[in-house]
Amino acid sequence: MSSVLVVGGTSGIGREIARHFAAAGDRVTLTGRQASRAAAVANDIGGDATGIALDLAVPHGIAPALAGLDVVDNVVLAAIDREVSTRVHDFDIDLAQRLVTLKLVGYPEVVHALRSRLAPDAAIVMFGGLAMLRPYPGSNTVSTVNGGVIGLMNTLIVELAPIRVNVIHPGIVGDSPYWRDRDLSGVVARTPCGRLAQMADIVDAVAFLLRNPAVNGVSLNVDGGTLLG
Ligand SMILES: NC(=O)c1ccc[n+]([C@@H]2O[C@H](COP(=O)([O-])OP(=O)(O)OC[C@H]3O[C@@H](n4cnc5c(N)ncnc54)[C@H](OP(=O)(O)O)[C@@H]3O)[C@@H](O)[C@H]2O)c1
């Protein structure tokens, strides 16, 4: 049995990751910004799951929020703030700062807060996203932070060795809450696989990145080959 922390585990892909590991018999801690929601989701997915509150955009609160955790084997950093949409023509500094803080300060602060409790063979997976290479209107800051996560990964590998760190870049995940009610036929048409990645595909890839002891420093696109279409 492993101990798994899923930051951003109350919704979408993070929730499916938490469900996967709880079903496998692991001890799962999932986070969202509200304690009540995190607890309700933990209760819903069942198994040995606990929910705690943590806001990555308020990074000084991260260490206290994680104080109750024991040794952690696997860390998944999946959180994103979906309300942040920025374009250069009407750039919103406050929104942009919130998302930059969430991923590029909040993600490493989680690792910093846990550093003495990471198992010697621990593994970390952080979420970027293909918006860094395939932007869409409003993805200005999303694209920027998704690329920034790669630099963070490279640094953490050197700083935390032998702990492994990998990044996953989903393309548009067709059945995720943000996209599932939208017309994605144009994206499907240019995707060589003829289908978009589904949340189960992302969960499978995250499990692989966490499990395989030789995979380190991989920035893995899981997108059905959209960049080639
Ligand atoms: N869905 C896609 O197609 C897609 C494509 C490319 C990349 N990605 C990446 O995949 C990851 C998961 O995406 P998703 O679409 O599954 O996300 P989602 O359904 O919007 O879920 C986001 C999660 O992040 C948490 N969260 C939001 N703001 C937070 C904050 N300030 N501090 C801490 N937690 C916060 C949310 O919890 P509460 O609301 O309960 O606080 C929720 O658990 C993200 O990193 C995203 O960039 C997704």
Side-chain angles (χ1 to χ4, degrees), residues 10-11 13 33 37 55-56 78 80 82 103 173 176 179:
T10 58
S11 171
I13 299 165
R33 284 164 293 182
R37 186 179 189 205
D55 189 340
L56 292 176
I80 183 80
R82 285 291 176 195
K103 281 212 177 186
V173 180
S176 63
W179 294 107

Side-chain angles (χ1 to χ4, degrees), residues 139-219:
S139 79
N140 183 307
T141 308
V142 172
S143 297
T144 302
V145 298
N146 284 347
V149 167
I150 297 173
L152 174 58
M153 171 188 76
N154 293 338
T155 309
L156 290 176
I157 286 170
V158 172
E159 294 179 335
L160 295 174
I163 288 167
R164 296 181 299 107
V165 188
N166 294 288
V167 165
I168 186 162
H169 301 286
I172 288 176
V173 180
D175 63 345
S176 63
Y178 186 71
W179 294 107
R180 65 183 163 216
D181 296 326
R182 299 172 197 237
D183 177 11
L184 300 170
S185 51
V187 191
V188 175
R190 67 165 191 260
T191 302
C193 274
R195 66 186 280 282
L196 298 178
Q198 304 294 296
M199 291 198 286
D201 303 324
I202 308 303
V203 173
D204 182 58
V206 168
F208 157 72
L209 293 171
L210 290 172
R211 184 184 64 242
N212 190 300
V215 175
N216 196 22
V218 168
S219 189

